[in-house]
């Protein structure tokens, strides 16, 4: 067990030297969370758009469910995915448990509702503003949705970033379905959680620093997207 | 089917002039929100050409009347008949310029492109349209940064881009400076002279005088009077219009 000062020094060394193991963990984290974010956007955005401009019965219930799913606890998502992917589960034959794919699935389930709910809000607000003009122009539904998505593109980008931020920082789901296997499914958060308890404070701290930088980067990106939008009068 | 069959058929269909939307006949048009009756059994006809100025105090139902005529809402009861045409097909042959223009979060040019594209019009007309409303030099600027007068002219250009047979304007010059008012009046008058039917809501007596062929005066959800312009401005028939012009109308 190292002292905090020692560990911090080692951590900085690891980061500065571009340590191979460290890099592998960071890259896997990014690959898993970016893929999950992309898939979650592909699923969540159309659902959000549909609910935003659709007027169907049961819409209120859908809204409640969507908003409730936003707060899914990661460990519960992990557990449910585990039950499906485990050998005795319905999807056990795919052999996906303890693979990066399993982690992508879990994170996608975790953040797709966030993307859906937030983009629903963004698109519905914009639609409230555009709807009458669009009806006057006799746009089709598809043209309406396309125009809304394009005009809300900056806000939707921040929705995607919010999803990525949540995915990359989450530990509960990936630890259950990934298992923190070295060189295979070890990502930043699971490494921090488990290496700390094993006493490898340097690696944990180094990863913690990188995770912080990523979180800051996501926030900076959101900020710059907002400023770009304002500059182009998209507010 | 041969390659050329479809386009030729479409062209022929487009070439045949559709039956005219005018004259308009409105019968017993009533609009209620719950217990409140906003429009109360309107009856009027509009002839095939010209500019009808729709006037009346705030809350008399002018904006709602435009939306009903344009097919954006359904009346509680009564009939709107545009030259016997299918009501479903009417909206697309008209355009409405709202009091507060809703512009897309895009460049000035892209706002016009959007309408030309979605309505299947010739994209090449964009520059001419912008030129027509005096916005050619602003083409690449974000539409949301335009001044009030410029934004309203863009909204007007967008409306004209759809080649409407009927153009509705809802107080388009309400908060504009005199030069912008004049610019918009000039464009609208030009459209009228080219045969577009205009229905123009205004509070501005001078504007009504400059633009009107006939005046439809609403008061308390009813038509107080509908008269030819020269009669209206010489001597309004109804007491409410007379009081309104003298600034004495109490709502
Ligand atoms: N959705 C609505 N529900 C209830 N009342 C409405 C609604 N929309 C408009 N009104 C009322 O209808 C009346 C006429 O409105 P409007 O046509 O906008 O008047 P204006 O002549 O000033 O354009 C107003 O008193 C307004 O408050
Ligand atoms: Mg009004």
């Amino acid at each position: 067990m190292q002292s905090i000062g020692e560990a911090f020094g080692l951590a900085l060394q690891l980061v500065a030297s571009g340590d191979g193991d460290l890099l592998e963990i960071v890259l896997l984290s990014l690959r898993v969370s970016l893929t999950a974010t992309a898939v979650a956007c592909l699923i969540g955005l159309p659902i959000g758009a549909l609910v935003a401009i659709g007027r169907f019965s049961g819409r209120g219930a859908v809204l409640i469910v969507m908003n409730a799913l936003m707060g899914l606890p990661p460990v519960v998502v992990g557990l449910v995915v585990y039950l499906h992917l485990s050998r005795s589960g319905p999807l056990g034959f795919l052999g996906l448990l303890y693979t990066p794919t399993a982690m992508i699935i879990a994170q996608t389930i975790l953040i797709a509702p966030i993307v859906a709910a937030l983009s629903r809000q963004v698109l519905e607000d914009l639609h409230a503003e555009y709807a009458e003009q669009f009806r006057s122009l006799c746009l089709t539904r598809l043209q309406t949705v396309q125009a809304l998505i394009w005009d809300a593109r900056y806000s939707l980008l921040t929705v995607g970033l919010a999803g990525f931020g949540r995915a990359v920082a989450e530990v509960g789901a990936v630890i259950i379905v990934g298992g923190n296997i070295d060189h295979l499914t070890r990502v930043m958060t699971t490494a921090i959680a488990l290496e700390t308890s094993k006493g490898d404070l340097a690696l944990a701290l180094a990863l913690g620093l990188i995770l912080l930088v990523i979180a800051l980067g996501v926030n900076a990106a959101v900020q710059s997207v907002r400023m770009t939008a304002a500059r182009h009068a998209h507010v | 089917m041969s390659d050329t069959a479809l386009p030729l058929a479409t062209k022929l269909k487009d070439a045949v002039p559709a039956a005219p939307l005018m004259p308009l006949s409105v019968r017993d048009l009533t609009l209620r929100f719950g217990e409140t009756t906003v429009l109360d059994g309107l009856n009027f006809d509009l002839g095939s050409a010209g500019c009808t100025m729709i006037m009346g105090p705030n809350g008399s139902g002018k904006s709602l009347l435009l939306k009903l005529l344009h097919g954006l809402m359904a009346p509680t009861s009564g009939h709107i008949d545009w030259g016997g045409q299918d009501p479903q097909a009417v909206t697309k042959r008209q355009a409405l310029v709202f009091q507060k223009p809703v512009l897309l979060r895009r460049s000035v040019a892209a706002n016009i492109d959007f309408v030309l594209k979605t309505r299947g019009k010739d994209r090449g007309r964009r520059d001419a349209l912008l030129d027509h409303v005096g916005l050619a030099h602003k083409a690449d600027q974000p539409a949301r940064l335009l001044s009030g007068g410029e934004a309203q002219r863009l909204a007007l250009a967008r409306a004209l881009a759809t080649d409407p047979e009927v153009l509705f304007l809802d107080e388009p010059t309400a908060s504009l400076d005199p030069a912008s008012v004049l610019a918009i009046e000039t464009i609208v008058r030009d459209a009228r002279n080219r045969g577009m039917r205009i229905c123009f809501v205004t509070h501005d007596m001078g504007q009504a005088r400059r633009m009107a062929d006939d005046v439809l005066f609403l008061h308390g959800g009813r038509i107080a009077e509908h008269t030819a312009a020269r009669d209206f401005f010489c001597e309004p028939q109804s007491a409410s219009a007379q009081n309104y012009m003298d600034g004495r109308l109490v709502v």
Side-chain angles (χ1 to χ4, degrees):
Chain A
M1 175 91 191
Q2 312 120 322
S3 77
I4 292 186
E6 244 180 319
F8 200 74
L10 279 171
L12 288 180
Q13 259 179 31
L14 275 178
V15 175
S17 66
D19 178 77
D21 282 354
L22 184 81
L23 204 64
E24 192 185 347
I25 295 173
V26 172
L27 288 181
L28 181 65
S29 273
L30 292 179
R31 178 159 78 85
V32 167
S33 295
L34 285 173
T35 312
T37 306
V39 179
C41 286
L42 285 179
I43 298 169
L45 186 57
I47 293 178
L50 209 69
V51 180
I53 75 157
R55 291 282 166 270
F56 47 90
S57 61
R59 184 173 179 275
V62 171
L63 278 182
I64 292 172
V65 171
M66 250 165 69
N67 286 324
L69 289 180
M70 260 184 37
L72 276 179
V75 279
V76 174
V77 172
L79 184 61
V80 170
V81 174
Y82 177 90
L83 290 174
H84 281 81
L85 296 184
S86 68
R87 194 155 302 165
S88 55
L91 299 175
F93 66 93
L94 294 172
L96 286 177
L97 196 60
Y98 304 131
T99 66
T101 308
M103 301 196 287
I104 292 171
I105 293 172
Q107 290 197 339
T108 300
I109 293 174
L110 193 67
I111 61 175
I114 298 178
V115 173
L118 294 180
S119 53
R120 195 273 308 169
Q121 189 66 59
V122 165
L123 294 173
E124 192 171 316
D125 289 349
L126 194 61
H127 191 230
E129 187 190 326
Y130 285 0
E132 202 163 47
Q133 179 67 58
F134 280 6
R135 265 192 296 136
S136 171
L137 290 172
C138 293
L139 300 192
T140 64
R141 276 215 161 202
L142 186 63
Q143 289 171 333
T144 300
V145 170
Q146 283 172 340
L148 287 175
I149 289 178
W150 180 250
D151 273 31
R153 60 194 179 278
Y154 290 103
S155 307
L156 293 175
L157 203 54
T158 66
V159 168
L161 285 166
F164 172 72
R166 169 134 160 128
V168 79
E170 147 321 291
V171 58
V174 279
I175 211 165
I176 296 180
V177 302
N180 190 46
I181 302 168
D182 205 4
H183 302 304
L184 185 60
T185 61
R186 180 165 294 176
V187 291
M188 288 190 276
T189 52
T190 60
I192 294 172
L194 296 178
E195 298 316 297
T196 305
S197 58
K198 280 198 237 153
D200 190 352
L201 285 186
L203 180 64
L205 258 178
L207 288 168
L209 282 174
I210 293 174
L211 204 49
L212 262 179
V213 169
I214 290 177
L216 284 175
V218 168
N219 274 304
V222 167
Q223 199 56 39
S224 93
V225 166
R226 292 223 170 102
M227 274 157 54
T228 312
R231 200 164 43 238
H232 295 286
H234 273 267
V235 227
Chain B
M1 191 191 293
S2 82
D3 284 357
T4 50
L6 187 63
L8 188 63
T10 339
K11 260 181 214 145
L12 280 177
K13 196 176 111 237
D14 287 350
V16 176
L21 283 181
M22 306 308 297
L24 164 71
S25 140
V26 172
R27 292 291 167 266
D28 305 319
L29 187 67
T30 299
L31 182 66
R32 287 196 197 91
F33 292 107
E35 296 290 286
T36 3
T37 301
V38 181
L39 293 173
D40 189 7
L42 305 193
N43 286 289
F44 64 93
D45 298 273
L46 293 187
S48 48
C51 178
T52 301
M53 300 304 277
I54 300 174
M55 304 189 74
N58 285 323
S60 55
K62 305 180 295 295
S63 297
L64 291 170
L65 176 60
L66 285 198
K67 287 176 190 175
L68 286 168
L69 295 179
H70 187 33
L72 295 186
M73 3 175 15
T76 311
S77 62
H79 297 282
I80 298 171
D81 180 64
W82 287 101
Q85 301 297 303
D86 174 9
Q88 298 286 322
V90 164
T91 308
K92 203 164 190 173
R93 296 168 63 180
Q94 308 172 332
L96 197 163
V97 175
F98 293 87
Q99 182 168 353
K100 270 193 68 191
V102 181
L103 300 174
L104 296 179
R105 289 156 167 78
R106 307 178 189 194
S107 72
V108 168
N111 266 272
I112 301 293
D113 288 341
F114 175 73
V115 174
L116 293 173
K117 179 167 173 245
T118 53
R119 294 293 290 269
K121 305 278 178 186
D122 173 17
R123 300 283 288 273
R125 288 170 55 204
R126 180 240 281 166
D127 294 340
L129 281 161
L130 288 180
D131 200 44
H132 183 56
V133 299
L135 286 177
H137 61 298
K138 300 258 176 178
D140 298 323
Q141 292 195 14
R144 297 244 158 188
L145 294 185
L146 293 178
S147 73
E150 290 165 343
Q152 205 54 277
R153 274 184 281 148
L154 178 55
L156 193 50
R158 175 174 63 184
L160 295 175
T162 66
D163 296 319
E165 291 159 59
V166 180
L167 177 63
F168 299 103
L169 300 124
D170 193 354
E171 301 188 47
T173 62
S175 51
L176 305 186
D177 64 60
S180 301
V181 172
L182 197 69
I184 286 180
E185 287 180 7
T186 307
I187 299 163
V188 172
R189 194 175 297 115
D190 174 73
R192 175 203 167 280
N193 293 341
R194 282 184 287 118
M196 201 177 292
R197 190 67 175 84
I198 313 285
C199 295
F200 195 135
V201 171
T202 188
H203 277 294
D204 180 343
M205 204 50 77
Q207 179 167 63
R209 230 182 257 270
R210 290 190 295 274
M211 303 292 295
D213 291 304
D214 55 331
V215 178
L216 190 70
F217 193 89
L218 289 182
H219 184 219
R222 291 166 190 263
I223 293 179
E225 71 174 279
H226 181 201
T227 12
R230 69 188 108 70
D231 301 332
F232 184 86
F233 293 109
C234 280
E235 193 176 1
Q237 315 289 300
S238 62
S240 47
Q242 182 67 62
N243 289 336
Y244 179 86
M245 289 170 78
D246 300 345
R248 284 186 286 111
L249 186 68
V250 200
V251 189

